[in-house]
Amino acid sequence: MQVTTQEASRPATTTGMKITKLTENIGAEVTGIDLRQPVDADTQKFLYDALVEHIALVFRDQKFNPGEYLSAVSIFGTVMPDESPKNRLPELPLISQISSLSKDREGKRVMTGERWHSDHVNHQRPPKFTCLYAVKLPDSGGATNLANTREGYAALPDAVKKRVEGMKTANVIIGSASKSVNSDRRAWQAESPPDPVIHPLVRTHPDVGTKALYFHPNKVENIVGMEPQESQELLEELTEYMVKPEFLYAHQWRLGDMMIWDNRSAFHRASFDYDINQHRLLYRTLVEGDIPH
Ligand SMILES: [Fe+2]
């Protein structure tokens, strides 16, 4: 493991904190900081910059109650609610629950997030960051996988880059040609059909100017000017270019881990390789973002 370049310019208040890369291209581990304690403005900026640089930060050994968790995430920006009220924690609705035990309205286990995606892209201002905190874990498996979408974009052949230049996605709750089997979302969309929200297929990071692929295949109704099925095929092709081992990080959870990542530079997907009769519970929070451009 390699200590990062940020070390030289760190604020004095972060003495004892250590940031170590988890892989060459994505992810860093932060140890030696208790996020229940207040942080000053310099430390806040240092952590934000580290998150943008490394795309994901894993804070080890945190001991949060829900309120403390919410305060810790707020270091990185303003927390926004999950679009699905059903997932929200009753006592603190800005936190949502990702639970292996949750069921849809037909009583079936809900397995969401199995495909590479970015969160809440059907919103005008999708979340810039997504954060998870491990509350209950299965004996093994259940990793959260991240992919570096700026490297994914850079790796596209020139002809593909040219082809996707200027393309826009039309995003809804669940795309008509998507592979999602989430019956709750289909019912929800049928009850109140949304106006599609348009976003660039390749977005530019507002802080650092890097370009990255940007979509959620289940939420794309179509790429503007293309049919839904044809759109899904192109998204699958783009995903194939991106998911090279050197652009990926699989986070194997330990209790006390908080992982936050930058949706403007990363896709994520869940692993369903664990015993689903064991309870896996993560608290999720979303940090408000800008309109993608
Ligand atoms: Fe997600």
Side-chain angles (χ1 to χ4, degrees):
M1 289 205 210
Q2 183 188 346
V3 174
T4 74
T5 50
Q6 265 209 333
E7 297 297 304
S9 57
R10 62 164 50 217
T13 47
T14 62
T15 306
M17 187 174 84
K18 193 172 166 201
I19 299 184
T20 312
K21 278 188 170 195
L22 289 161
T23 74
E24 188 51 38
N25 290 309
I26 182 167
E29 178 190 73
V30 188
T31 53
I33 184 169
D34 177 355
L35 293 177
R36 292 177 302 185
Q37 305 303 321
V39 298
D40 61 24
D42 286 348
T43 305
Q44 193 168 9
K45 182 176 184 321
F46 179 80
L47 290 172
Y48 183 99
D49 290 347
L51 175 52
V52 170
E53 179 185 347
H54 298 292
I55 302 177
L57 295 179
V58 175
F59 293 87
R60 302 285 192 187
D61 306 315
Q62 304 301 309
K63 296 180 183 69
F64 298 136
N65 62 35
E68 290 164 341
Y69 171 49
L70 194 57
S71 298
V73 182
S74 302
I75 292 169
F76 296 93
T78 303
V79 176
M80 62 184 270
D82 190 300
E83 66 179 4
S84 171
K86 190 179 145 184
N87 296 340
R88 296 178 195 157
L89 198 65
E91 65 269 33
L92 209 46
L94 283 173
I95 296 176
S96 60
Q97 302 178 82
I98 310 284
S99 170
S100 58
L101 303 183
S102 71
K103 293 181 179 168
D104 65 13
R105 58 180 73 188
E106 293 165 357
K108 284 190 299 200
R109 289 278 178 86
V110 181
M111 298 285 176
T112 54
E114 74 283 10
R115 303 181 70 197
W116 290 106
H117 68 280
S118 190
D119 283 334
H120 281 43
V121 297
N122 53 321
H123 291 235
Q124 288 287 354
R125 292 173 175 270
K128 66 169 85 162
F129 304 133
T130 296
C131 183
L132 296 175
Y133 175 62
V135 180
K136 288 192 166 72
L137 293 173
D139 294 340
S140 65
T144 296
N145 305 277
L146 302 178
N148 181 331
T149 48
R150 59 192 192 207
E151 291 291 349
Y153 172 75
L156 296 180
D158 286 345
V160 178
K161 272 190 193 152
K162 214 165 179 178
R163 184 178 172 207
V164 300
E165 196 181 316
M167 279 189 175
K168 296 192 182 306
T169 55
N171 301 282
V172 292
I173 295 168
I174 191 158
S176 61
S178 88
K179 289 181 175 168
S180 172
V181 292
N182 190 317
S183 57
D184 275 0
R185 286 178 182 273
R186 292 213 184 273
W188 178 14
Q189 178 154 285
E191 284 159 14
S192 49
D195 288 332
V197 170
I198 308 297
H199 289 311
L201 179 62
V202 176
R203 70 178 295 180
T204 303
H205 198 291
D207 298 329
V208 287
T210 42
K211 286 186 171 183
L213 292 167
Y214 187 66
F215 55 86
H216 185 328
N218 289 350
K219 293 197 176 228
V220 170
E221 175 54 30
N222 64 306
I223 294 170
V224 176
M226 290 171 68
E227 292 301 315
Q229 185 56 40
E230 186 190 9
S231 305
Q232 291 293 331
E233 285 163 14
L234 177 55
L235 299 183
E236 278 186 28
E237 187 187 328
L238 295 175
T239 302
E240 287 304 312
Y241 284 118
M242 184 187 65
V243 292
K244 297 186 168 64
E246 63 269 30
F247 303 155
L248 308 182
Y249 169 62
H251 184 65
Q252 302 290 347
W253 290 97
R254 297 191 328 218
L255 287 175
D257 285 354
M258 173 178 120
M259 179 162 75
I260 184 166
W261 65 85
D262 189 343
N263 287 314
R264 302 162 303 179
S265 307
F267 281 178
H268 59 282
R269 63 178 286 273
S271 293
F272 292 104
D273 58 348
Y274 57 92
D275 176 356
I276 61 159
N277 294 311
Q278 294 187 0
H279 196 184
R280 176 181 182 271
L281 175 64
L282 302 172
Y283 282 167
R284 180 171 83 164
T285 43
L286 304 167
V287 175
E288 275 180 11
D290 303 315
I291 296 174
H293 66 279

